[in-house]
Amino acid sequence: LPIALDYVHAVSLDGVLRILLLAGGLVVNALIAFLLNVASFTVSRKTSALAMTVTGNVKAALAVLLGCLLFSVALPLTSIVGILVTLAGGAAYSSVRYSEAMLAAQTAFLKTSV
């Protein structure tokens, strides 16, 4: 009987540890999801809807590319071309936005210095 009680005590302690680990994991997951939502909301307020869409498309293309590299999946040529066009479009959009921001900053500087 004492051996049986020790076994029950060990199992219940193991069960409690598993529950605590699960609860801790859920809390960490919830915290990460909350921080992701805060970051997404902040970015949405500071950029345009077009910038968010371009970013989402580039993220999806990179996710597909990374998944194919990690899992050794071959892509058809049309998918590779689509990923390249998406990445090139994101780079072009980023370049144009950067140029416009630099031009606006230079214009604002010139207006304040005159």
Side-chain angles (χ1 to χ4, degrees):
L1 188 62
I3 293 173
L5 289 177
D6 285 341
Y7 179 74
V8 169
H9 178 71
V11 169
S12 66
L13 182 61
D14 185 47
V16 168
L17 285 175
R18 287 178 188 230
I19 289 172
L20 287 175
L21 284 173
L22 177 65
L26 289 174
V27 168
V28 169
N29 188 24
L31 182 63
I32 290 171
F34 173 75
L35 293 174
L36 178 64
N37 284 333
V38 168
S40 178
F41 179 73
T42 303
V43 169
S44 294
R45 286 190 328 167
K46 300 214 179 259
T47 64
S48 66
L50 179 61
M52 291 296 291
T53 302
V54 170
T55 303
N57 288 335
V58 169
K59 181 185 83 164
L62 289 175
V64 168
L65 190 61
L66 182 64
C68 289
L69 291 174
L70 287 176
F71 300 112
S72 300
V73 175
L75 286 175
L77 182 62
T78 54
S79 296
I80 294 171
V81 170
I83 289 172
L84 291 175
V85 167
T86 301
L87 295 178
Y93 177 78
S94 178
S95 176
V96 169
R97 283 284 295 223
Y98 180 75
S99 297
E100 289 176 350
M102 292 304 292
L103 183 62
Q106 288 174 352
T107 305
F109 177 74
L110 291 175
K111 285 183 180 178
T112 59
S113 62
V114 172

